[in-house]
Amino acid sequence: MLILISDAFDKSLPEKLKAFGEVTEDTSRLSEADVVLIRSKTKCTKEYIDEAKNLKLIIRGGVGMDNIDRDYCKEKGIIATNTPKSSAIAVAELAFALMISVPNKIVYFDSTMKKGEWNKKTKRTELYGKTLALLGLGNIAKAVALRARAFGMNVIAYDKYIDKSDLALMVPSAKDAVENADYISMHLPLTDETKGIMGEELISAMKKSPVVINTGRGKCVDEKAMAEALKDGRVSHFCTDVYSVEPCEEDNPILECENVTLTPHVGANSVENLLRIGDEVVETISAFIKEGKI
């Protein structure tokens, strides 16, 4: 069996995978590969899959699988899966770090201090007592909810597949979730239904001027509508780790806005998480071999 590591994983992973067969990082050997390991960079399109003539299994190191043509995989009898257990802590910590940085004005104070300014009169605000709306309540959002509750926040959530939760007050729609939110954290998969969900219609449902954080999928945000909302004050601040096109293009309207905090899709890039992803990859391959699926 040939295992192709197509994207960046922890350096220890190739050695761990040798028990299953040959391991390569040479992407020119795609046509020989039985198993392909990807993250967000590699796009498993129909053309990519057709080139991989021996392919039996694709493992996406991470959660989102919108870079895999899963319908075509199913048609070709190829298993496509991910590592859903691994990334919750890393992404949740980044989402919460972005959220807490805004009321504490961390970026502002740091940049002005380095310019020799002493803006002690600038006031901070607190997360305590504020309302956090979670769009999606999967593993990552649940980890965010735990942290928010520890800070004394009121947590509400919308997830079309979940009616009750011990971590958040569930509401029946995304509009209900954002209506009175001070903070909104997005943790949605990219589907036809969620594409552009954070757009003019949802923004118009907001009664406050919330901080919006997106560590889910870039295309779930209508970036033009978000830029307009930032400029007219309907959204007070936008923090994002993900973009409609990555790397982020120079003409992205979000870059024109001052009240934004941006990171380059590093939510899952903690040292610890890369190790967890590797371990889950090994578990997945081992389980499929035992079940005779590969």
Side-chain angles (χ1 to χ4, degrees):
M1 180 167 62
L2 178 64
I3 301 172
L4 170 61
I5 301 177
S6 186
D7 290 337
F9 287 77
D10 188 79
K11 293 181 180 179
S12 65
L13 184 56
E15 187 64 32
K16 294 177 180 178
L17 293 173
K18 285 183 179 179
F20 303 120
E22 184 182 357
V23 182
T24 183
E25 297 179 57
D26 182 358
T27 55
S28 69
R29 298 185 66 187
L30 174 62
S31 62
E32 306 171 51
D34 299 281
V35 178
V36 171
L37 310 181
I38 67 168
R39 293 189 64 213
S40 58
K41 184 178 180 180
T42 297
K43 312 302 179 187
C44 294
T45 61
K46 181 179 183 295
E47 293 74 21
Y48 182 95
I49 293 166
D50 282 341
E51 186 179 343
K53 302 184 185 305
N54 292 330
L55 191 58
K56 302 173 183 67
L57 172 65
I58 300 171
I59 303 178
R60 158 74 160 97
V63 180
M65 296 178 68
D66 47 281
N67 56 332
I68 302 173
D69 188 333
R70 286 182 285 172
D71 289 337
Y72 194 59
C73 283
K74 188 175 182 180
E75 182 181 326
K76 301 284 285 187
I78 298 168
I79 300 168
T81 188
N82 59 359
T83 58
K85 298 182 293 184
S86 303
S87 300
I89 294 172
V91 181
E93 286 193 2
L94 178 63
F96 206 81
L98 290 169
M99 183 164 64
I100 200 171
S101 73
V102 177
N104 286 287
K105 302 185 183 298
I106 300 297
V107 175
Y108 169 77
F109 285 133
D110 177 71
S111 61
T112 54
M113 284 287 291
K114 289 172 180 175
K115 294 175 184 177
E117 300 175 19
W118 187 258
N119 296 317
K120 191 172 176 64
K121 291 183 179 180
T122 300
K123 296 294 187 287
R124 299 160 44 243
T125 57
E126 300 173 356
L127 293 181
Y128 181 81
K130 303 300 191 299
T131 297
L132 168 64
L134 297 169
L135 299 183
L137 195 62
N139 291 330
I140 296 169
K142 288 175 182 176
V144 172
L146 283 169
R147 286 152 180 77
R149 290 180 58 171
F151 272 68
M153 300 185 79
N154 303 309
V155 184
I156 61 176
Y158 165 69
D159 189 308
K160 67 177 293 185
Y161 301 105
I162 299 175
D163 295 324
K164 295 181 180 179
S165 172
D166 294 333
L167 297 172
L169 173 65
M170 303 304 298
V171 294
S173 73
K175 286 184 179 180
D176 290 317
V178 306
E179 184 177 18
N180 292 300
D182 300 291
Y183 294 85
I184 300 166
S185 191
M186 300 180 64
H187 304 280
L188 297 166
L190 180 61
T191 65
D192 291 340
E193 187 176 357
T194 64
K195 185 176 181 180
I197 188 172
M198 182 56 71
E200 182 61 33
E201 185 176 351
L202 195 59
I203 291 169
S204 296
M206 301 171 187
K207 291 183 178 179
K208 299 182 178 180
S209 179
V211 176
V212 179
I213 303 102
N214 188 19
T215 52
R217 285 290 171 263
K219 290 182 180 179
C220 290
V221 173
D222 179 334
E223 290 166 337
K224 183 177 179 181
M226 177 58 69
E228 291 300 319
L230 287 165
K231 290 173 183 177
D232 64 26
R234 287 177 295 157
V235 172
S236 63
H237 202 101
F238 181 48
C239 304
T240 189
D241 186 47
V242 289
Y243 308 85
S244 60
V245 177
E246 297 184 359
C248 185
E249 296 181 321
E250 291 182 3
D251 62 352
N252 188 315
I254 297 299
L255 298 180
E256 300 174 2
C257 305
E258 293 184 5
N259 43 340
V260 296
T261 305
L262 311 175
T263 52
H265 204 155
V266 293
N269 279 16
S270 73
V271 172
E272 296 87 348
N273 186 48
L274 290 176
L275 286 169
R276 285 193 296 267
I277 286 174
D279 289 342
E280 195 167 348
V281 165
V282 171
E283 291 174 8
T284 300
I285 294 175
S286 179
F288 280 131
I289 289 174
K290 288 179 181 178
E291 293 170 10
K293 293 181 179 180
I294 57 174

